Amino acid sequence: IVSEDIGKLPDNSVVESLQHVTGISIIRNNVEPSVVLIRGLPDYQTLMNGRAIFTSSGRSVSLPDFPSELLSKVDVHKASSATDVEGGIAGLIDIRLHRPFDFDGFRFVGSAKAVNPSLAGNIDPQASFLISDRWSTEIGEIGLLFDMSFKSIHNRQDQVLMGQRTTIIGPIAGAGTSGGSVCTMNPITNCPVRSTTTAAGVIGSGGLNVPFASGVRPGYGAESSNISLFQRAGTIERASLNLAGQWR
């Protein structure tokens, strides 16, 4: 995938851009995608400008850390060959950043935008700019490039988690799923109730904890399952800088 112009590579990060390549799929983790699959496999080697580098996350680079504004192109090798850097069973991903000799002469490009996440309710700034030039000198041609990008993303994650509360409550008319007479014994522990998690035996040999009233005698029902609501707010900030010099 190649950016025909600076900052025109689609999406926000290299991971999102790679999903436009045939045979590539991505996995989203909460707010942003973080996993790339080449033909369904996650075991690939990553290079930057044709060289293997390592980061704090392991032997490979963290692909979500590369904003699309810094990318010139991304090469994906879907099959391993003897000439590739070893370590990628699924293939190889080579991230190419901009360099001074990519341009004929002076180049200055900037972009800025604001994003309003509907759930987080913030206005998030995103900006990038590139300045590059090349000169002919007595010692040869020299090029210098400065490229930077900054993004601040607020996010909010809403979750509904359902648990299991199995305490029996009652008496409730018509409750229960098994046949038999209504139990009115006091305390409830004297009622002939068998837990479905207990080994088969005489009714009454189990406890009172019965998943969703399964096996509860008529007259008693299980307490409704507890539902937990979570709302997690966070911020992702990514500042990237690419300094490049070339001499020929």
Side-chain angles (χ1 to χ4, degrees):
I1 182 170
V2 179
S3 175
E4 297 179 355
D5 200 357
I6 301 173
K8 294 297 180 65
L9 206 63
D11 305 305
N12 291 321
S13 68
V14 64
V15 177
E16 292 181 332
S17 297
L18 282 172
Q19 67 179 330
H20 299 282
V21 180
T22 303
I24 302 295
S25 57
I26 64 175
I27 298 177
R28 294 187 175 272
N29 181 17
N30 296 336
V31 179
E32 58 182 12
S34 57
V35 179
V36 176
L37 303 176
I38 300 179
R39 291 176 176 167
L41 298 176
D43 302 314
Y44 50 84
Q45 178 63 272
T46 56
L47 306 179
M48 189 177 71
N49 294 331
R51 296 180 177 270
I53 64 174
F54 67 92
T55 61
S56 59
S57 61
R59 295 179 57 189
S60 61
V61 298
S62 178
L63 295 179
D65 289 341
F66 287 88
S68 59
E69 289 85 356
L70 266 63
L71 304 179
S72 173
K73 68 175 181 176
V74 183
D75 295 325
V76 179
H77 302 259
K78 302 177 188 177
S80 300
S81 67
T83 58
D84 293 337
V85 179
E86 65 178 5
I89 299 176
L92 183 145
I93 298 176
D94 189 2
I95 304 167
R96 300 282 180 170
L97 304 180
H98 291 294
R99 290 180 173 180
F101 288 174
D102 293 342
F103 313 108
D104 296 332
F106 177 77
R107 183 67 62 91
F108 177 80
V109 180
S111 66
K113 62 181 178 180
V115 179
N116 182 19
S118 58
L119 289 180
N122 287 80
I123 298 178
D124 298 330
Q126 299 184 9
S128 66
F129 76 91
L130 175 147
I131 182 170
S132 176
D133 203 356
R134 54 196 295 181
W135 305 269
S136 295
T137 67
E138 295 180 353
I139 62 173
E141 191 172 12
I142 297 176
L144 295 176
L145 177 143
F146 177 89
D147 193 3
M148 61 110 18
S149 173
F150 175 79
K151 296 181 179 181
S152 177
I153 305 172
H154 286 81
N155 61 80
R156 196 185 87 183
Q157 179 187 9
D158 296 346
Q159 284 185 325
V160 179
L161 301 179
M162 180 174 293
Q164 291 187 1
R165 292 292 297 276
T166 58
T167 304
I168 291 178
I169 58 177
I172 301 175
T177 57
S178 298
S181 59
V182 175
C183 177
T184 57
M185 300 179 67
N186 190 19
I188 299 178
T189 52
N190 295 327
C191 288
V193 177
R194 181 174 59 194
S195 170
T196 58
T197 59
T198 306
V202 179
I203 291 182
S205 61
L208 280 176
N209 293 329
V210 193
F212 298 101
S214 177
V216 180
R217 307 289 281 188
Y220 287 83
E223 188 176 12
S224 61
S225 61
N226 64 318
I227 298 177
S228 302
L229 305 179
F230 289 93
Q231 185 180 104
R232 295 184 176 94
T235 304
I236 300 174
E237 288 190 359
R238 299 196 185 280
S240 303
L241 176 64
N242 175 28
L243 298 175
Q246 287 181 294
W247 169 64
R248 179 167 55 193

